[in-house]
Amino acid sequence: MPEQGQYVNYTAQGICRVEGIESLKFGDGKARDYYLLRPVNQPESSVYLPVDNPDLLAKLHPILSKEEIDQIILSVRQDSIPWVSDFREREEQFSAILTRRDERELLLLIGCLLLREEEGTHRLSSGDQQTLRKAQRIVAEEFSFSLHLPADQIDDYIREKLNITRQG
């Protein structure tokens, strides 16, 4: 269970600070305990997460350490997601990965799309480009927070760990 002051990755909101537990009454008038989360990128927002809802609590993940990030980056070196030719199937698969916000899967997704783009035989569709930008944004947000680097340096950090030089 998250503790007050801890930072967590909540799949629906990204990185949040746990502000504490509050007892609140909503629609049915019964008091219920909620974790109060503050999204780092939207500090004026509040997220109330019922402490007794295991499905929602399962979407809370601890923030990764630098060592964990490095392990994840290195683990994708020899792995890949195969390209799915059917747009609808690909969109479903990619959407599920974006929803889960699993960093390893996101890196594999980014790699799949970048490889397809580099092959140059087909341009990425606007939907695939949008998916790529969203996956890159999610990875940059968490890695930036954990590594204490600006988000625009995360791509270079990953390339350095994988010994990949930037083309162009």
Side-chain angles (χ1 to χ4, degrees):
M1 292 294 132
E3 296 178 18
Q4 185 172 352
Q6 180 181 7
Y7 288 92
V8 294
N9 190 348
Y10 181 49
T11 56
Q13 297 294 321
I15 298 178
C16 299
R17 178 181 159 88
V18 179
E19 298 294 331
I21 295 177
E22 292 186 13
S23 185
L24 300 169
K25 293 179 185 179
F26 284 112
D28 62 3
K30 295 179 183 176
R32 190 172 177 191
D33 287 339
Y34 292 84
Y35 284 108
L36 171 57
L37 307 177
R38 291 252 188 258
V40 170
N41 290 336
Q42 297 175 327
E44 68 284 351
S45 298
S46 299
V47 177
Y48 294 94
L49 192 64
V51 300
D52 60 353
N53 186 324
D55 292 334
L56 290 177
L57 292 177
K59 296 179 180 186
L60 280 179
H61 305 284
I63 298 300
L64 298 173
S65 68
K66 179 186 184 313
E67 294 75 21
E68 290 169 323
I69 289 171
D70 289 348
Q71 286 177 331
I72 290 169
I73 292 170
L74 294 175
S75 78
V76 300
R77 181 179 280 178
Q78 302 301 323
D79 209 355
S80 65
I81 294 175
W83 184 257
V84 177
S85 296
D86 182 84
F87 177 75
R88 282 194 171 84
E89 285 180 39
R90 186 171 66 251
E91 190 176 53
E92 279 183 32
Q93 178 186 16
F94 290 174
S95 178
I97 291 171
L98 290 171
T99 300
R100 285 191 295 270
R101 291 180 74 111
D102 176 89
E103 296 81 2
R104 184 173 191 287
E105 280 187 306
L106 288 165
L107 286 175
L108 290 170
L109 171 60
I110 291 167
C112 175
L113 290 166
L114 290 176
L115 181 62
R116 182 71 173 187
E117 190 174 55
E118 277 181 15
E119 289 174 349
T121 55
H122 299 89
R123 285 188 44 159
L124 291 180
S125 70
S126 62
D128 289 333
Q129 289 174 359
Q130 186 177 8
T131 297
L132 175 59
R133 286 191 300 274
K134 186 169 185 178
Q136 288 172 319
R137 189 173 52 249
I138 292 168
V139 167
E141 177 188 351
E142 181 166 355
F143 286 17
S144 171
F145 184 83
S146 296
L147 297 170
H148 307 287
L149 290 173
D152 63 357
Q153 291 181 16
I154 297 304
D155 184 53
D156 290 336
Y157 181 88
I158 293 169
R159 287 176 182 277
E160 181 182 317
K161 290 293 174 189
L162 295 173
N163 294 319
I164 299 172
T165 57
R166 186 179 290 277
Q167 295 180 351

